[in-house]
Amino acid sequence: MLRAQIESFPVAGHFTIARGSRTEARVIRVEIERDGVIGSGECVPYARYGETPEATLQTILDQGPALAAGLDRTGLQATLPPGAARNGLDCAFWALEARLAGRDVAALAGLDWPRTMPTAFTISLDTPDAMAAAAARAAHMPLLKLKLGAAGDVERLAAIRAAVPQARLVIDANEGWQVDELPQLLRACAEVGVELVEQPLPAGEDEPLARIEHVVPICADESVHARAGLEALPGRYDAVNIKLDKTGGLTEALEVAVRARELGLSVMVGCMLSTSLSMLPATLLAGFARWIDLDGPLLLAGDRPGGLAYHDGLLDRSAATLWGL
């Protein structure tokens, strides 16, 4: 039996990136039930990729007859393309398989699944002073992820570094920088000790990255979704941000992580704005990752019951009951 529905979670304060602001996270919760056992998953349709909650929900529900006829997680990979719909179903299948087998989901995946891990904390795009103040309030976090990609980014970087002189910093430009300004912006990042710059140029317009000096490592996000796009990254990028809503679930995400390592790419594990039900499957990728960015629930006014615990930037799944056990 398949069930799915759209759910909304208000954002705490505001969440702003180069493409706009959001006041709520709209997610789709998916449940697959077999023999009285339920496996759950969550996905986030993303407008940047042409997805809407309504169309994604319908795509998921359309798989009901196939599931009733025996569709499993392996068959799902050929049935739907990478994207949010497949992610919701794939993660529900993983949880269902684990519960039917009475095994920890990490054992099924053959992974060491740490119970705690540090995560980045996102600072939304704002004025230099406002971002500096937000960074100062979060200075106790192990890693700050700064949303940039608008005029005034050099000033933002300077103000933030002055406010948090010891903080580790990574940048997400969300495709918001221009080629002609890229060398100056990368130098500004290097001067303040930024560890990583994520997706500075628009996807499809990133060929110039192969011709400039990477004074700071550059990470692909929108430029790659799944395994099919990985081979084009070396030379342009130094790292890849793996998100389950892009890969279409944990199944392909694990394959992306393995192949990225073979290609010499560092890995960031990232997320969309969503609840612990989205974060928990992504934590299985922690062993591959140099940077973990799974702070989605921290940006919401409230998380799901049974979710992750966060303590000063440390993600703790010890008491989570939503997924995987």
Side-chain angles (χ1 to χ4, degrees):
M1 181 182 298
L2 172 65
R3 294 183 290 270
Q5 63 183 25
I6 298 170
E7 298 177 345
S8 296
F9 293 82
V11 169
H14 72 283
F15 180 78
T16 301
I17 65 173
R19 284 189 288 270
S21 298
R22 298 175 60 185
T23 59
E24 66 175 1
R26 296 189 73 200
V27 307
I28 298 175
R29 179 169 184 146
V30 180
E31 293 183 344
I32 301 174
E33 181 175 353
R34 285 185 179 165
D35 301 326
V37 177
I38 298 173
S40 298
E42 179 180 284
C43 64
V44 185
Y46 198 33
R48 169 65 181 82
Y49 304 138
E51 298 173 330
T52 67
E54 292 76 16
T56 301
L57 175 63
Q58 189 58 55
T59 298
I60 292 169
L61 293 174
D62 285 346
Q63 307 313 307
L67 263 71
L71 179 70
D72 60 9
R73 180 168 54 84
T74 300
L76 175 67
Q77 310 309 309
T79 300
L80 291 179
R86 195 175 80 185
N87 178 37
L89 287 162
D90 183 78
C91 291
F93 267 126
W94 275 99
L96 179 67
E97 291 169 27
R99 288 176 173 169
L100 286 172
R103 301 175 66 195
D104 186 286
V105 69
L108 293 179
L111 296 173
D112 179 20
W113 195 19
R115 292 191 173 275
T116 61
M117 61 198 74
T119 180
F121 179 73
T122 301
I123 306 296
S124 285
L125 179 64
D126 209 323
T127 66
D129 287 346
M131 291 187 72
R137 291 192 295 272
H140 59 289
M141 297 292 188
L143 178 65
L144 299 182
K145 182 173 182 177
L146 312 178
K147 291 291 188 179
L148 300 182
D153 279 348
V154 171
E155 292 76 15
R156 291 183 179 92
L157 285 167
I160 291 164
R161 178 49 86 199
V164 288
Q166 304 302 319
R168 294 176 58 208
L169 303 176
V170 295
I171 302 300
D172 186 1
N174 283 116
E175 305 179 278
W177 290 353
Q178 303 298 315
V179 172
D180 58 355
E181 64 184 2
L182 191 57
Q184 176 196 10
L185 287 165
L186 289 176
R187 285 195 301 272
C189 289
E191 288 168 2
V192 300
V194 167
E195 297 182 17
L196 187 73
V197 173
E198 189 179 342
Q199 198 65 45
L201 300 180
E205 300 177 22
D206 56 4
E207 190 276 334
L209 295 178
R211 303 193 304 269
I212 66 167
E213 183 182 4
H214 291 202
V215 294
V216 177
I218 299 176
C219 179
D221 183 1
E222 287 86 353
S223 284
V224 65
H225 290 229
R227 289 170 300 170
L230 279 175
E231 309 299 324
L233 296 189
R236 298 185 185 186
Y237 293 97
D238 309 290
V240 57
N241 188 345
I242 302 176
K243 296 177 179 175
L244 271 59
D245 279 302
K246 292 192 304 176
T247 65
L250 178 61
T251 300
E252 181 142 348
L254 291 169
E255 297 179 7
V256 170
V258 170
R259 184 58 181 149
R261 178 179 287 176
E262 293 171 348
L263 291 170
L265 297 166
S266 297
V267 169
M268 170 184 275
V269 176
C271 65
M272 303 300 190
L273 188 60
S274 48
T275 79
S276 285
L277 187 53
S278 285
M279 302 304 113
L280 278 159
T283 62
L284 269 80
L285 297 166
F288 296 93
R290 182 174 174 184
W291 302 275
I292 297 170
D293 179 26
L294 298 176
D295 65 343
L298 288 177
L299 306 176
L300 302 177
D303 193 10
R304 297 183 187 276
L308 294 163
Y310 291 85
H311 308 286
D312 294 335
L314 191 68
L315 179 158
D316 185 349
R317 69 170 188 87
S318 297
T321 57
L322 269 175
W323 187 90
L325 301 174

